[in-house]
Amino acid sequence: MNEIAKRYIDLFRQVKIATAATVDAQGCPQARIINIMLAEDDGMYIVTSKGKPFYKQLIETGKIALAAMCPDCQSLKFTGKLKVVGKEWVDKVFEQNPGMNEVYPGESRYILDAFHIYEGHGEWFDLLHYPISRESFAYGGDTVEQNGFLISDKCMACGKCASVCPQQCISAGTPYVIDAAHCLHCGRCVEFCPAAAIERLHP
C-alpha cells in the first residue's frame, strides 16, 4: 500500500466510526454505523455477526461503501471489495478493541466474522479551509477514481469559467486548466462555458 492510501486508511481507523452502505436483495441502498476495527498494511478490517442483514449483504455482494467525518470537518469516503477471513482476525480485533469483550464475552465472539476490505478507492475532502482541498487514493490493485471536470481543446480562452468558479481554481491557458485538488465539482464552469468545452471526467 502506498503512503497516501495508508495515511487515509489510518485516518479511517482513528475516526473509527463510519457509515457503511450496502445494497440489499431488492437493490435498495442500506446504511448503518459501524466501527473500523483494524487498519493494516493490506487494508481495513471490520466485524459483524452472522444473523444481521448487513452480514448477508456483504457476503452476497462482496462490496461496501464507507463514509466518515473527521474532527476538523474533513470527510472521508471509500468504495471497496471485501471477504471473510479466519477467526484469528476476530481475536486480533478483540485484542485491539477490548471494549468488544463486554458486548460479546467469552466464546460468543465467534458468532462474528471478520471481513478484510482488501481493495478499493476513496477520497479525503477538506471543506473547512479556503480553497477547499481533496485528495484521492486507492490500494489493493484498484485505481484512483478520476472525478470532476476537464477543459478540452474546444476552449476559446474567454475566461468565463474562471470568473464564475467559487474556489477560483481555474487558471488561464490554452486551454484553461482546472486545479483538481481544489475543485468543488459543482459544475458551475460547465453551465457558463459558451463553447461547451468542459467535460465531466467520470460519467
Side-chain angles (χ1 to χ4, degrees):
M1 183 182 299
N2 63 50
E3 291 182 9
I4 295 173
K6 189 62 169 69
R7 178 164 70 247
Y8 293 122
I9 295 311
D10 287 344
L11 189 53
F12 260 114
R13 169 61 180 163
Q14 292 167 27
V15 176
K16 196 171 182 179
I17 299 172
T19 299
T22 52
V23 176
D24 66 18
Q26 289 72 46
C28 297
Q30 302 290 332
R32 75 285 294 159
I33 300 298
I34 67 165
N35 287 341
I36 306 301
M37 294 297 186
L38 301 171
E40 303 288 321
D41 289 340
D42 61 355
M44 294 178 281
Y45 290 79
I46 61 173
V47 295
T48 192
S49 55
K50 296 178 180 178
K52 294 184 177 182
F54 181 40
Y55 183 97
K56 184 173 185 289
Q57 292 155 20
L58 294 178
I59 292 294
E60 289 178 349
T61 67
K63 297 178 181 179
I64 192 170
L66 301 171
M69 180 64 74
C70 305
D72 296 328
C73 200
Q74 299 156 343
S75 66
L76 284 166
K77 68 176 184 178
F78 180 86
T79 302
K81 298 178 181 179
L82 75 179
K83 61 185 177 183
V84 174
V85 289
K87 293 297 185 183
E88 68 273 14
W89 285 98
V90 174
D91 292 332
K92 189 168 184 177
V93 163
F94 275 66
E95 289 170 9
Q96 294 196 25
N97 302 270
M100 290 291 292
N101 288 288
E102 297 179 10
V103 184
Y104 292 96
E107 295 295 309
S108 69
R109 71 171 63 177
Y110 296 119
I111 194 61
L112 298 168
D113 268 336
F115 286 81
H116 176 203
I117 306 173
Y118 62 89
E119 175 185 316
H121 61 271
E123 183 184 61
W124 168 87
F125 184 42
D126 183 357
L127 195 59
L128 183 63
H129 302 94
Y130 180 86
I132 64 95
S133 297
R134 62 192 335 134
E135 187 170 32
S136 297
F137 63 94
Y139 71 83
D142 204 350
T143 56
V144 172
E145 188 174 69
Q146 301 296 324
N147 286 311
F149 300 90
L150 178 71
I151 302 176
S152 73
D153 290 338
K154 293 190 291 183
C155 173
M156 302 184 304
C158 68
K160 188 64 176 178
C161 58
S163 70
V164 301
C165 175
Q167 293 292 305
Q168 297 296 294
C169 69
I170 302 177
S171 56
T174 309
Y176 271 50
V177 177
I178 300 171
D179 185 348
H182 302 298
C183 177
L184 275 172
H185 299 174
C186 68
R188 186 169 164 83
C189 57
V190 178
E191 293 192 357
F192 282 87
C193 177
I198 305 176
E199 303 169 354
R200 186 183 297 275
L201 286 172
H202 189 69

